[in-house]
Amino acid sequence: MIDILRREFVYIWYYFDVQLRQIFPYWVLGMVLGSAVSVFAKEKIHDAVRSLSGRKLGAFGVVPASMLGIASPLCMYGTIPLAASFSRYGISDDWLAAFMMSSVLLNPQLIIYSAALGTTALVVRIVSCFLCGIIAGLLVRFCCGKNLCCGKDGSFFRFGAFQEPKSRDTDPNIFLRFLKNLGRNIKATGLYFLFGVVLSALFQRYVPADTMTAIFGGNEAFGVLMAATIGVPLYACGGGTIPLLQAWLSDGMSMGSAAAFMVTGPATKITNLGALKIVLGAKNFILYLAYIMVFAFVTGLLVNLFV
């Protein structure tokens, strides 16, 4: 019995070590870049969003709003109060929807993580998140334009008493400010990252590659739907899912299935859902979930068809 346990430990440690060596540099670089953006560029990004209020861009405003959402380093609980302040600056709901949607799905830190999956997966993730934000903004514009899905005040969102979040990067020494932000980043994601590597090692040891190929491989719609569905319970942290995706892709997961997982995962992360339920209300929250599942499914099918 002891020999069996020792053998299994050696196997799992081997997979863990290989996966960690492959992913760790991207995780470290993502931490450094994420903290650098948060400390040195966050206010400039958010000022750029505020500046949109004085421009007559119409529906085209969802494009820069979605781009700035991806560039923003804030999590959802920081993004919602910020969006509430943008609303008070006069930013329209469709632009806010584009900003918030893309901000939920992607940030500079996660872009670096995703580079570990290869150039194709990285491009697919950036493009799909960018388009998801744009389409969400256009849908909100159409719905509110037709007085659908909006409250009595004509607003899609229910920001209520949300106030703009106070920055935690206040140390007068800019180097210490960066180090403190980096420490918070490591504390917030480190355990999830290690858990993802462990889970990936277990998958590689005990789940046959042909099983992954049968479920998530090929161009079958079933594989895409399954990937979109498992993204809901499995996604806890962006950095923690990269090792899993890397292992699944090497075991035969199609790029379309991976794309679907990368959309539904962050969009339905339990902490994000709790915040979104408050700001959207019950009816719009259900519409949000439906939109995410449909977008992820269609995106997965299109990626499998063209990539």
Side-chain angles (χ1 to χ4, degrees), residues 89-121:
Y89 272 92
I91 303 295
S92 61
D93 281 355
D94 53 338
W95 297 1
L96 289 177
F99 176 84
M100 292 172 64
M101 186 74 260
S102 60
S103 181
V104 168
L105 296 177
L106 200 56
N107 57 53
Q109 193 166 306
L110 192 51
I111 290 175
I112 298 299
Y113 292 162
S114 301
L117 302 176
T119 303
T120 301

Side-chain angles (χ1 to χ4, degrees), residues 26 28 46 59 66 86 131 164 217 280 302-303:
Y26 293 97
V28 172
H46 297 161
S66 184
F86 289 162
L131 292 177
E164 185 170 355
L280 291 177
L302 291 175
V303 168

Side-chain angles (χ1 to χ4, degrees), residues 76 78-97 99-100 140 153 155-164 275-281:
M76 177 49 57
T79 298
I80 288 179
L82 183 67
S85 73
F86 289 162
S87 180
R88 288 190 284 273
Y89 272 92
I91 303 295
S92 61
D93 281 355
D94 53 338
W95 297 1
L96 289 177
F99 176 84
M100 292 172 64
V140 168
D153 60 352
S155 175
F156 183 82
F157 298 103
R158 294 157 177 77
F159 290 121
F162 278 106
Q163 300 294 323
E164 185 170 355
L276 287 168
K277 173 64 169 60
I278 296 173
V279 78
L280 291 177

